[in-house]
Amino acid sequence: MTSSAPPTRPGLRALLAGPIGICLANYEFGVYGTMSALVINDLFFPTLDPAAGTLAAFTTFAAGFLAKPLGGLLFGRVGDRYGRRAVVVGGLLLMGIATIGIGVLPTYATIGVAAPVLLTVMRLLQGLAVGGEWGGAATLAVEHAPEHRRGLWGGAVGVGGPIGSILGALTVLPLTAFFSHEQFLAWGWRLPFLVSAVLLAVGLWMRMGVAESAVFRERVATRTRHRGDMRRVLTTNGASMALVFFLAGAAVTGIYLLNTYALSYAVNQAGLDRTTMLTCMTTAQIIAVVAAIGLLTRIDRIGLPRLYQAGAIGLALMAWLLFAALDSGAVPVVLVALCLGQVAVNGMVVSSVPIYVLLFRPEDRVTGAGFSFKTSDAVLGGTTPLLAGLLVQATGSGWAVALYVTVLVLIALAASVVGRRLLAERTGRPAPEPVEATA
């Protein structure tokens, strides 16, 4: 029988080190996304008309997404050659420096056109760091985990994301409520970026105290380290990368549908109040995070593929329910739909992180998992609000968006079946299943 003893203190630090970095990443991206809609255009693009300034602000937001896959490649090769710990510490440090840098950046009124240029540079650095450190954090967590607890340890990395988004919302909303518009423009907007220094300090303390994974140390000891041939990594892991791309694609599409586009549709198409909708969205996220933490305690008993597939089916059903709820205008129904959707997506996220890592050989894990996941995040996730808006504009309703989500879910379900077989080849045993079935 396998032991179910709680982690030791070093093990607990290793367990929490992954989520804290992902939490910081999502906090920063969430805060910047909100600021792009509120003040970035006035502070850094004042010479443009309001519509063009907002568009320019969102362009700098998109720059962070475009840099994510590149970060997955660059940091990934460092993680596979020199160690996972170097990536999670370096990526977190770069992310924190870039975010604090935005918080102290002079505006257009002070340094002119150099301000938006520097802002874009900071966003690119953020994107590189987020794209790079995710693969290291996920790999380090899974490789540190006891074999019968890979779901718990890897899934914990996935929970860090929504927690960071919630923290970002809870930080910005009080500031917009308590400060006048003039105070917020003058200095209040900087506070959420500067507050990230606290998360950075905690994250660095945790990650610097985590030892390198035994899997990587064994490769170093036996001198099986690869030379970082990027072309070899990309050409010999095509199947695994495609699987991660589509497995992640359905999940990240659900995330941006629920967290971004739902607000636009609710206000502009369904006529719901913006503040009411924001309250419903934040409430649903909090409930879903609590549910995800509960799932983590049972995830290794439920089985990773089984939980992912259940979440994916739930996401497809939720997409149809969501637009029906929004069109009804009934706030309680909207809240229920959002909660169900968030729970489904979080179930997909926490169950898929260990799968992404284990689909790759140890010498390619940080690169393979990080690059393919972040490419899906940028290509499918980042385009979700735009594509959904175009579909609604063309059809006049949300059914086309729901159909699009359903198609991605069907592809993801097929990928989960193929991925289970590939996992068996990679690990020499069946894909992670319920503990009762493998103990």
Side-chain angles (χ1 to χ4, degrees):
M1 294 291 292
T2 54
S3 171
S4 59
T8 61
R9 181 167 296 181
L12 184 61
R13 177 178 285 194
L15 172 62
L16 297 177
I20 190 68
I22 307 303
C23 176
L24 175 60
N26 277 50
Y27 170 87
E28 292 167 347
F29 265 71
V31 165
Y32 190 86
T34 303
M35 293 302 175
S36 296
L38 295 177
V39 297
I40 294 297
N41 58 332
D42 294 327
L43 295 171
F44 291 90
F45 303 98
T47 60
L48 302 178
D49 64 75
T54 300
L55 181 61
F58 279 122
T59 300
T60 62
F61 180 68
F65 278 92
L66 296 176
K68 285 182 179 182
L70 180 59
L73 281 180
L74 298 179
F75 280 78
R77 293 322 295 155
V78 173
D80 288 325
R81 290 191 67 189
Y82 302 107
R84 289 73 161 108
R85 186 174 176 273
V87 169
V88 297
V89 173
L92 185 67
L93 186 60
L94 178 61
M95 193 190 320
I97 290 174
T99 303
I100 296 170
I102 293 175
V104 299
L105 198 64
T107 62
Y108 188 94
T110 303
I111 60 174
V113 72
V117 172
L118 290 174
L119 179 65
T120 303
V121 171
M122 293 296 104
R123 285 294 297 158
L124 289 172
L125 291 177
Q126 278 187 327
L128 286 174
V130 171
E133 75 99 29
W134 185 92
T139 300
L140 191 64
V142 172
E143 290 183 347
H144 265 292
E147 187 171 335
H148 66 294
R149 289 290 181 264
R150 284 172 172 172
L152 169 63
W153 287 56
V157 174
V159 173
I163 291 177
S165 298
I166 292 170
L167 289 177
L170 294 179
T171 303
V172 174
L173 286 176
L175 296 179
T176 59
F178 295 136
F179 290 161
S180 67
H181 182 66
E182 292 73 19
Q183 290 173 322
F184 196 74
L185 277 176
W187 55 273
W189 69 274
R190 299 182 184 273
L191 295 180
F193 296 105
L194 299 178
V195 165
S196 68
V198 177
L199 287 174
L200 174 63
V202 174
L204 286 175
W205 174 76
M206 285 188 172
R207 288 186 168 185
M208 293 183 72
V210 176
E212 186 56 78
S213 74
V215 172
F216 185 82
R217 292 200 308 270
E218 181 181 339
R219 285 178 50 234
V220 172
T222 57
R223 297 184 180 181
T224 58
R225 222 164 74 186
H226 285 245
R227 289 184 174 272
D229 181 353
M230 190 81 73
R231 184 175 180 180
R232 177 195 62 77
V233 174
L234 297 178
T235 56
T236 61
N237 291 280
S240 295
M241 288 185 166
L243 290 173
V244 172
F245 181 89
F246 289 114
L247 287 171
V252 295
T253 297
I255 289 171
Y256 289 105
L257 174 64
L258 291 164
N259 295 348
T260 305
Y261 183 70
L263 176 62
S264 174
Y265 185 92
V267 174
N268 299 321
Q269 301 293 324
L272 292 174
D273 177 70
R274 182 182 298 271
T275 302
T276 300
M277 187 62 186
L278 282 170
T279 302
C280 287
M281 292 170 65
T282 304
T283 302
Q285 286 181 312
I286 293 173
I287 292 173
V289 165
V290 173
I293 293 173
L295 282 175
L296 282 179
T297 65
R298 306 290 296 174
I299 190 171
D300 290 290
R301 294 187 177 276
I302 298 171
L304 301 179
R306 186 179 300 174
L307 179 56
Y308 178 88
Q309 291 162 0
I313 294 171
L315 172 61
L317 295 175
M318 176 283 308
W320 297 93
L321 173 62
L322 175 65
F323 287 103
L326 291 172
D327 289 335
S328 74
V331 174
V333 179
V334 171
L335 178 59
V336 170
L338 289 171
C339 287
L340 293 175
Q342 291 284 4
V343 170
V345 167
N346 281 356
M348 296 171 70
V349 170
V350 299
S351 59
S352 59
V353 172
I355 295 175
Y356 299 160
V357 173
L358 295 173
L359 278 172
F360 296 90
R361 299 179 181 88
E363 61 268 22
D364 298 334
R365 279 178 176 168
V366 182
T367 305
F371 175 67
S372 48
F373 174 74
K374 289 305 175 182
T375 300
S376 183
D377 187 17
V379 174
L380 294 179
T383 60
T384 295
L386 173 61
L387 181 57
L390 293 174
L391 289 173
V392 169
Q393 186 178 28
T395 62
S397 70
W399 69 264
V401 181
L403 180 60
Y404 171 68
V405 173
T406 302
V407 170
L408 288 181
V409 164
L410 291 175
I411 295 173
L413 289 173
S416 71
V417 174
V418 177
R420 181 172 176 173
R421 298 172 184 169
L422 186 57
L423 275 176
E425 296 176 10
R426 287 280 188 264
T427 62
R429 59 179 64 88
E433 281 289 350
V435 169
E436 292 88 348
T438 57

